[in-house]
């Protein structure tokens, strides 16, 4: 099983600032099958990034994903008020699919 | 538009079983897998398994094998998650999600809260 470790656990930033979220895998992620989800309280997760760097439908271009093999990053170039939420990475290249424990982006 | 609509909240006693449904619409039901993911209160996301609605084939995370069953009824484009021998540790929101080999889980149901309490 691939274990995903996200850091930091909580990121305290102000609107307009840049956010950098990390996701590290215990072994190489197959075929770049790494996704990022946003979840707000009381809501289902929403796909934001798939295949490492592809934005899902409707996701603004201030969100970008990068990385390879075991180290991946989600960057939010300039935080908007609606971006404060929990973000999860997920690998879907091998079974079982696994998620990171999440990074909470909170308003400073 | 793609929609996954899940059944309502459930309250069950320890040792009971529960069956959660996930009605899909807006796309070809047999063309995409259905995944099930759960989230305990205040916790992260845990993948449980998937079903291929076309073949009925399934794949489960090891911890759920033997007591979780995923099925589907293609005539009504609905997938089901059944959990047996419930304990308080199974109290969680259960989500279904459409699975695609490239994009992973791109559309999610609204979630179903299952509470296990004596």
């Amino acid at each position: 099983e691939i274990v995903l470790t996200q850091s930091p656990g909580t990121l305290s930033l102000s609107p307009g600032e840049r956010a950098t979220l990390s996701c590290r895998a215990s072994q190489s992620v197959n075929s770049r099958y790494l996704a990022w989800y946003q979840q707000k309280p009381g809501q289902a997760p929403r796909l934001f990034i798939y295949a490492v760097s592809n934005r899902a439908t409707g996701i603004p271009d201030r969100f970008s994903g990068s990385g390879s093999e075991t180290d991946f990053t989600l960057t939010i170039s300039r935080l908007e008020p609606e971006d404060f939420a929990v973000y999860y990475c997920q690998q879907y290249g091998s079974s079982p699919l696994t998620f990171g424990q999440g990074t909470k982006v909170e308003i400073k | 538009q793609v929609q996954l609509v899940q059944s309502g909240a459930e309250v069950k006693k320890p040792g009971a079983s529960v069956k959660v449904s996930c009605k899909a619409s807006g796309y070809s039901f047999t063309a995409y897998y259905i995944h099930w993911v759960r989230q305990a209160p205040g916790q992260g996301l845990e993948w449980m398994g998937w079903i291929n609605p076309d073949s009925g084939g399934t794949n489960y995370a090891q911890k759920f094998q033997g007591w979780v069953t995923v099925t589907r009824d293609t005539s009504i484009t609905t997938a089901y998650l059944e959990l047996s021998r419930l304990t308080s540790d199974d109290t969680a929101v259960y989500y279904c999600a459409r699975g695609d080999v490239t994009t992973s889980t791109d559309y999610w149901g609204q979630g179903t809260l299952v509470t296990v309490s004596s």
Side-chain angles (χ1 to χ4, degrees):
Chain A
E1 170 175 328
I2 296 178
V3 177
L4 300 178
T5 303
Q6 293 186 238
S7 61
T10 302
L11 202 48
S12 298
L13 296 168
S14 301
E17 290 194 292
R18 181 185 186 89
T20 302
L21 288 67
S22 173
C23 176
R24 179 161 290 177
S26 60
Q27 54 190 281
S28 184
V29 174
N30 291 341
S31 304
R32 295 170 55 81
Y33 285 156
L34 192 286
W36 291 90
Y37 296 83
Q38 179 196 72
Q39 188 178 34
K40 294 182 177 180
Q43 297 184 17
R46 180 185 177 188
L47 177 67
F48 264 49
I49 300 284
Y50 66 91
V52 178
S53 59
N54 296 273
R55 283 186 298 277
T57 303
I59 304 305
D61 60 8
R62 64 179 180 274
F63 289 87
S64 62
S66 62
S68 64
E69 298 197 8
T70 60
D71 286 291
F72 302 90
T73 300
L74 174 68
T75 302
I76 311 171
S77 60
R78 288 178 55 86
L79 282 164
E80 297 287 341
E82 62 267 28
D83 299 338
F84 292 92
V86 178
Y87 293 84
Y88 294 94
C89 59
Q90 177 209 44
Q91 69 78 24
Y92 54 105
S94 60
S95 185
L97 280 66
T98 50
F99 291 90
Q101 81 280 18
T103 290
K104 182 179 182 180
V105 179
E106 66 176 22
I107 299 176
K108 187 174 182 180
Chain B
Q1 72 282 20
V2 174
Q3 279 194 306
L4 298 172
V5 178
Q6 299 183 224
S7 50
E10 303 264 12
V11 179
K12 296 291 182 180
K13 293 194 183 302
S17 297
V18 68
K19 193 170 186 177
V20 177
S21 67
C22 172
K23 166 72 174 174
S25 62
Y27 72 97
S28 174
F29 181 62
T30 55
Y32 296 84
Y33 286 17
I34 293 289
H35 293 253
W36 290 92
V37 175
R38 77 176 182 180
Q39 186 170 39
Q43 302 300 308
L45 302 168
E46 182 176 32
W47 178 78
M48 302 177 69
W50 55 247
I51 186 166
N52 177 343
D54 189 28
S55 66
T58 54
N59 180 32
Y60 302 104
Q62 188 170 12
K63 74 175 284 186
F64 297 105
Q65 289 179 1
W67 63 282
V68 169
T69 305
V70 178
T71 57
R72 94 295 190 213
D73 184 338
T74 56
S75 68
I76 55 172
T77 64
T78 299
Y80 301 93
L81 171 73
E82 185 168 19
L83 300 90
S84 60
R85 306 191 303 273
L86 290 165
T87 73
S88 57
D89 289 342
D90 299 315
T91 293
V93 176
Y94 290 80
Y95 294 102
C96 63
R98 189 180 83 161
D100 178 85
V101 65
T102 302
T103 61
S104 187
T105 43
D106 54 0
Y107 289 90
W108 292 60
Q110 83 276 20
T112 297
L113 175 62
V114 175
T115 303
V116 183
S117 174
S118 55

